[in-house]
């Protein structure tokens, strides 16, 4: 390779000399162009090194600032953590204080004996101790878990299984005024359904009002205003007729006038419901209120076969801020909330059988949802509640304990 470079140079030189000889103008032009190029490159280099220097300066200035920003961010994060920790512990404290506060619980064992209730003109025994028919003797200790199943229908409604039914059918009553019950063959069909298109529809002869209906043993139990002049003034005003409707045969099999006058919506926060029907291990119950004592709830035990009222009680549970209720083992549990909706809580219970003592009654909160319960249906077999919360269908699993402390 060695000898080839001088050779190349010599060739180039002689070529350029001969070029210069041949095209002197062109060569001069090329040289000028080269000079300009060189100048520009020099300028460019100059600029680049200046930019590099500026960038270095900038970086040197920014580095400490970045450091500060990073430290501030970390401090903010720590502060946010500690604030949310403090909020959590505050909420726990409030929960604790509320659970310690002796004025809130209004559990009362029914010991009044006979004939104490205001007015006794209604049929059936009033305010007498209830004799249990089953041996169930437990009470709620807490709401163990919540499962949001889906969102279906409007903000208010009712969904339930038949607590007596051998089937897994899901019954859905959407809205506070309608006449069509949707029946899904299995829970899966309901969870997967996006609309009620595939559901079996059963139309009831009279539209329901409110969310107090009950599916029990293949029947839909619900209330309606008895036919009578809307002019008012007659004795039937503010009374309700109970209807027993066979869902498979689609026939009304029985009806009766509920033996209480001057009915008013029992729950302060659920205005459309005039009578709330409930099922437990013992059978059928009704929660209602009358003008006679417009501050507290009444409870009645119904005969599911005849729709007759067997017994009635005046409970100490206030109507104010009540949103729903249910019955377990002969004990009424009333759920309270606020408007606008906040955390729901069982704040009052009334044991018709007189077994549950106030010290033994838990007053649990529902898991945090900030919704309003339009209805709560208890299923004794599953020991869970079917809740309709602002259009969401929710299952609450309950944890139970014995009503009486074991000695
Ligand atoms: C209802 O009250 C009347 C008196 O006010 C009394 O004689 C009657 O025994 C009471 N009935 C019942 C079922 O308590
Ligand atoms: C029942 O609800 C549907 C829509 O959800 C409505 O079209 C229908 O009119 C309602 N029926 C009654 C009797 O209110
Ligand atoms: C339902 O209909 C069947 C057949 O018509 C009848 O045997 C049965 O007694 C009915 N059940 C009720 C609860 O009406």
């Amino acid at each position: 390779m060695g000898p080839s470079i001088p050779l190349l140079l010599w060739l180039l030189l002689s070529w350029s000399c001969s070029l210069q000889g041949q095209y002197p103008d062109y060569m001069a032009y090329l040289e000028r162009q080269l000079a300009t190029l060189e100048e520009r490159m020099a300028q460019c280099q100059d600029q680049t090194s200046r930019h590099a220097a500026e960038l270095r300066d900038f970086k040197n200035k920014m580095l400490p600032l970045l450091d500060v920003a990073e430290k501030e961010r970390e401090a903010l994060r720590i502060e946010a953590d500690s604030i949310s920790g403090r909020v959590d512990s505050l909420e726990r404290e409030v929960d604790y204080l509320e659970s310690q506060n002796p004025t809130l619980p209004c559990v009362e064992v029914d010991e009044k004996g006979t004939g104490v209730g205001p007015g006794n003109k209604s049929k059936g025994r009033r305010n007498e101790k209830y004799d249990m028919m089953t041996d169930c003797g437990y009470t709620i200790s807490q709401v163990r878990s919540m499962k949001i199943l889906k969102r279906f229908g409007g903000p208010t409604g009712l969904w339930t299984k038949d607590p007596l039914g051998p089937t897994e059918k899901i019954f859905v009553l959407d809205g506070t005024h309608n006449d069509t019950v949707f029946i899904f063959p299995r829970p899966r069909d309901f969870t997967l359904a996006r609309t009620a298109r595939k559901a079996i529809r059963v139309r009831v002869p009279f539209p329901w009002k409110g969310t107090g209906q009950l599916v029990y043993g293949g029947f839909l139990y619900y209330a309606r205003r008895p036919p009578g002049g809307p002019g008012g003034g007659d004795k039937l005003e503010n009374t309700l007729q109970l209807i027993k409707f066979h869902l498979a045969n689609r026939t009304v099999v029985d009806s009766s006038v509920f033996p209480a006058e001057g009915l008013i919506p029992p729950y302060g926060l659920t205005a459309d419901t005039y009578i709330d029907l409930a099922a437990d291990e013992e059978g059928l119950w009704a929660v209602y209120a009358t003008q006679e004592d417009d501050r507290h709830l009444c409870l009645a035990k119904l005969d599911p076969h005849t729709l007759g009222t067997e017994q009635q009680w005046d409970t100490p549970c206030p109507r104010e801020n009540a949103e729903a209720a249910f019955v377990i083992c002969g004990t009424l549990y009333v759920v309270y909330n606020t408007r606008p909706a906040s955390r729901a809580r069982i704040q009052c219970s009334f044991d018709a059988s007189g077994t549950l003592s106030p010290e033994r009654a838990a007053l649990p909160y529902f898991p945090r949802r900030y919704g309003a319960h339009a209805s709560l249906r208890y299923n004794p077999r599953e020991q869970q509640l079917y809740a309709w919360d602002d259009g969401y269908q929710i299952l609450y699993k309950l944890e139970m304990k014995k009503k009486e402390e074991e000695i």
Side-chain angles (χ1 to χ4, degrees):
M1 287 289 246
S4 62
I5 290 174
L7 186 75
L8 205 72
L9 270 175
W10 178 82
L11 268 175
L12 204 67
L13 215 70
S14 59
W15 177 69
S16 98
C17 284
S18 71
L19 266 184
Q20 203 152 22
Q22 283 169 33
Y23 313 100
D25 290 351
Y26 183 61
M27 281 315 289
Y29 167 76
L30 268 183
E31 268 165 22
R32 272 202 310 280
Q33 287 295 313
L34 268 173
T36 339
L37 255 179
E38 260 170 26
E39 203 176 314
R40 277 207 204 139
M41 266 174 75
Q43 274 176 6
C44 211
Q45 223 165 15
D46 220 37
Q47 267 179 5
T48 315
S49 65
R50 242 196 349 264
H51 282 165
E54 274 169 18
L55 204 66
R56 234 184 357 260
D57 277 2
F58 180 70
K59 211 170 111 184
N60 287 343
K61 273 186 214 146
M62 282 315 284
L63 270 176
L65 285 183
L66 269 176
D67 233 33
V68 171
E70 185 60 32
K71 274 187 197 127
E72 273 174 10
R73 207 180 65 156
E74 185 58 19
L76 272 177
R77 199 186 57 76
I78 290 170
E79 202 172 322
D81 275 4
S82 94
I83 285 174
S84 89
R86 282 212 296 274
V87 168
D88 272 1
S89 78
L90 257 178
E91 269 186 350
R92 273 199 303 278
E93 265 168 46
V94 167
D95 283 7
Y96 174 76
L97 281 177
E98 280 183 345
S99 71
Q100 295 300 303
N101 188 343
T103 61
L104 276 176
C106 53
V107 179
E108 202 165 279
V109 183
D110 178 49
E111 292 168 326
K112 287 180 196 155
T114 52
V116 181
N120 64 356
K121 49 186 171 276
S122 42
K123 285 174 251 159
R125 298 189 301 162
R126 200 167 175 105
N127 290 330
E128 277 178 51
K129 199 167 141 176
Y130 172 75
D131 291 323
M132 299 285 285
M133 298 186 299
T134 68
D135 60 0
C136 88
Y138 41 82
T139 178
I140 298 180
S141 92
Q142 62 165 321
V143 182
R144 199 170 65 202
S145 66
M146 163 177 88
K147 187 169 162 196
I148 301 174
L149 232 76
K150 70 182 288 133
R151 186 173 198 175
F152 180 94
T156 57
L158 160 68
W159 78 294
T160 179
K161 254 188 213 172
D162 186 341
L164 283 189
T167 69
E168 290 290 283
K169 281 180 192 159
I170 297 288
F171 301 85
V172 179
L173 285 75
D174 182 17
T176 51
H177 183 90
N178 212 289
D179 62 356
T180 305
V181 182
F182 300 126
I183 304 173
F184 295 85
R186 287 161 309 165
R188 233 177 81 84
D189 300 310
F190 178 54
T191 354
L192 295 179
R194 259 180 288 158
T195 61
R197 217 152 36 89
K198 286 202 187 131
I200 299 158
R201 281 152 200 264
V202 174
R203 277 190 67 182
V204 295
F206 319 105
W208 66 74
K209 188 141 168 50
T211 50
Q213 308 77 251
L214 182 77
V215 176
Y216 187 73
F219 298 95
L220 177 74
Y221 293 83
Y222 70 108
R224 75 153 181 156
R225 287 202 181 285
D234 64 5
K235 251 194 119 221
L236 287 180
E237 199 189 8
N238 288 341
T239 61
L240 285 177
Q241 184 181 27
L242 292 178
I243 310 266
K244 182 178 173 185
F245 178 80
H246 193 251
L247 284 159
N249 288 7
R250 306 188 183 200
T251 48
V252 172
V253 295
D254 223 329
S255 76
S256 76
V257 173
F258 188 70
E261 284 161 29
L263 286 169
I264 51 174
Y267 310 130
L269 297 179
T270 311
D272 291 314
T273 303
Y274 276 80
I275 196 160
D276 191 18
L277 299 171
D280 75 343
E281 297 76 357
E282 289 284 307
L284 211 61
W285 305 80
V287 185
Y288 64 100
T290 68
Q291 282 158 2
E292 231 169 339
D293 177 3
D294 60 3
R295 291 181 49 229
H296 297 99
L297 300 180
C298 296
L299 179 69
K301 178 79 183 7
L302 305 180
D303 179 343
H305 305 293
T306 65
L307 285 180
T309 303
E310 296 169 345
Q311 260 183 277
Q312 283 169 290
W313 296 268
D314 303 308
T315 82
C317 296
R319 283 179 64 227
E320 195 183 352
N321 288 333
E323 70 172 6
F326 50 91
V327 180
I328 300 178
C329 284
T331 303
L332 170 74
Y333 297 90
V334 187
V335 179
Y336 293 84
N337 207 327
T338 53
R339 205 194 304 268
S342 172
R343 277 183 87 181
R345 185 188 185 190
I346 298 171
Q347 245 165 285
C348 185
S349 46
F350 169 79
D351 187 5
S353 74
T355 322
L356 179 66
S357 64
E359 302 82 52
R360 197 79 186 128
L363 303 164
Y365 278 97
F366 282 81
R368 195 169 312 178
R369 273 278 303 158
Y370 301 108
H373 292 118
S375 62
L376 289 169
R377 286 289 168 274
Y378 173 63
N379 187 306
R381 267 187 306 165
E382 301 169 348
Q383 295 198 334
Q384 55 184 4
L385 293 170
Y386 287 68
W388 192 291
D389 177 322
D390 255 340
Y392 288 92
Q393 288 72 43
I394 295 177
L395 283 173
Y396 293 113
K397 204 134 193 73
L398 301 176
E399 196 174 293
M400 303 296 192
K401 62 179 182 183
K402 278 226 155 33
K403 270 187 190 174
E404 286 171 289
E405 211 138 12
E406 276 157 283
I407 308 155

